[in-house]
Amino acid sequence: MRWTDPQTKKRPSRSEFVDTPEEAEAFFEKLQQATETGANILITFADYVESIGERWQRGLDPTSTASGYEISLRLRVVPALGHLQVSRISTGLIDRTIDQWETEFGPSTIKTSIAALVRVLDVAVRDEVIPSNPAKNRARRTLSQQSALTPGSLRALAVPDMETLNKIADACAKVHQSYSDHVMLCAMLCARGSEVAGLEVGDIDWVNRIVKIERQIYPGKGGLVAKQTKGRKERYVPILDPLEPILIRLSAGKEPGDPLLRGPRGGVLTTATVRDATKWDELVTNLGLPNLTRHGLRHTGATWLADAGVPLHVLQRILGHASIETTKGYLHPDHRHLSEAATLANQFFASPSKRKETTEKPRGRQL
């Protein structure tokens, strides 16, 4: 098919090989639709991504989320689907693509890749290039599977005991003491690496023995970014005994607004910095924990607090979880918290006289 472009006055053409007259008719209907809507329904996914610029990023945080999505789009989504026409990308094709990703990448990488794909195809729907988004159903299913946490599901990501944590910290200290301190702060405060980087001396409240976590610092678009925590709320973590001497040492002689921890050269310690400087993967593998990540240190503190009997709603506040269902992932899978609750209830039932005193209403003069 050939036509005259009313703006450029050029004579572009589109061609396609088909097997039946019905497919040929469908081809002409597509082009007729394109003339009515102004959308190029034969455009490839790679060309479409280039043509829409940053429109698919609307509503994303440009300093963090958008940057991660953009990387996933460029490194995974476009290489997998870029050669195909947007109108030819089907649900089955997307299923096979995500299935392949699941054999190569971790859950976090897959999550950002799917999110970027969904956003681009949402724009294609608004541009009337496609009638509906074929990625949404698979995205919902994949993400719901990843977020389905059950009691004990996060415990496998944690360090098993204090002795092992000390071994990790000691190994990091051989490179520089700041890396050892980073490990202990992440674990003992149940904090993300970016939150540890954002701590200031004034965040330590020695009177109430708590540490306030209200900011994070991490590499973003254009350099380091300082912003609120992931939950956008400050939270308070108790100072545990193993952490006290470290906090005393790190805060000694500093002003309240000074950063609590910095690296060997005075710079911000990011999780990537710690990984590279300490040869983290090799270090944890030698200790028998090949799957331990830096974020696993946060899981470690949360797991230990759960085992110590910290009430679930309190643990939720310490971790800053929006949903208590996420916090339940740290509970022991043998439901020991239910056993403890039963013990308390049985003690109550075993003392009927005390129960009577508790439930008996005080008698007063009737008016």
Side-chain angles (χ1 to χ4, degrees), residues 68-206:
Y69 284 15
E70 188 174 7
I71 292 172
S72 292
L73 183 64
R74 185 178 73 251
L75 296 185
R76 282 170 290 279
V77 183
V78 171
L81 304 172
H83 62 291
L84 300 169
Q85 293 178 5
V86 177
S87 58
R88 290 293 184 92
I89 297 177
S90 64
T91 302
L93 184 59
I94 290 172
D95 276 347
R96 292 190 293 274
T97 300
I98 296 176
D99 288 342
Q100 181 60 36
W101 287 343
E102 289 176 342
T103 66
E104 301 176 14
F105 309 111
S108 179
T109 300
I110 295 172
K111 179 180 178 180
T112 56
S113 301
I114 293 175
L117 173 61
V118 168
R119 279 182 158 269
V120 170
L121 293 181
D122 274 343
V123 177
V125 172
R126 291 194 293 271
D127 285 345
E128 298 183 343
V129 175
I130 52 178
S132 61
N133 188 337
K136 277 197 168 176
N137 287 335
R138 176 57 192 262
R140 293 192 192 99
R141 187 169 82 247
T142 300
L143 298 179
S144 64
Q145 290 171 351
Q146 291 180 359
S147 62
L149 298 175
T150 57
S153 60
L154 293 174
R155 302 174 63 86
L157 307 176
V159 178
D161 50 50
M162 193 69 196
E163 181 182 357
T164 305
L165 180 65
N166 285 330
K167 288 180 180 179
I168 297 172
D170 292 342
C172 291
K174 293 178 181 178
V175 182
H176 192 270
Q177 183 60 43
S178 61
Y179 302 127
S180 173
D181 293 336
H182 177 89
V183 167
M184 296 302 292
L185 286 167
C186 286
M188 294 289 97
L189 293 176
C190 309
R192 302 174 179 87
S194 59
E195 294 171 342
V196 169
L199 286 175
E200 296 178 356
V201 174
D203 295 328
I204 305 173
D205 180 353
W206 289 111

Side-chain angles (χ1 to χ4, degrees), residues 281-357:
D281 293 340
E282 179 182 341
L283 184 153
V284 295
T285 299
N286 291 337
L287 291 174
L289 300 169
N291 298 321
L292 179 67
T293 64
R294 274 76 59 210
H295 193 68
L297 298 171
R298 169 173 157 87
H299 294 314
T300 296
T303 298
W304 292 355
L305 289 179
D307 284 352
V310 174
L312 192 60
H313 68 284
V314 176
L315 184 59
Q316 180 189 10
R317 290 201 298 268
I318 290 174
L319 298 174
H321 289 156
S323 170
I324 202 166
E325 295 301 318
T326 304
T327 314
K328 288 180 180 178
Y330 294 105
L331 296 179
H332 200 282
D334 65 4
H335 305 297
R336 67 175 61 175
H337 60 294
L338 297 179
S339 299
E340 293 170 356
T343 299
L344 294 175
N346 289 333
Q347 291 174 353
F348 175 76
F349 293 132
S351 305
S353 59
K354 291 184 179 180
R355 186 171 73 252
K356 183 178 181 181
E357 292 173 3

Side-chain angles (χ1 to χ4, degrees), residues 11 14 17 34 36-37 60 85 110 114 130 149 155 179 199 214-215 218 226 279 290 300 360 367:
R11 292 273 292 169
R14 290 288 184 275
F17 290 95
E36 294 173 352
T37 63
L60 293 178
Q85 293 178 5
I110 295 172
I114 293 175
I130 52 178
L149 298 175
R155 302 174 63 86
Y179 302 127
L199 286 175
E214 63 176 346
R215 72 188 71 81
Y218 58 91
K279 298 181 180 178
T300 296
E360 199 174 63
L367 300 177

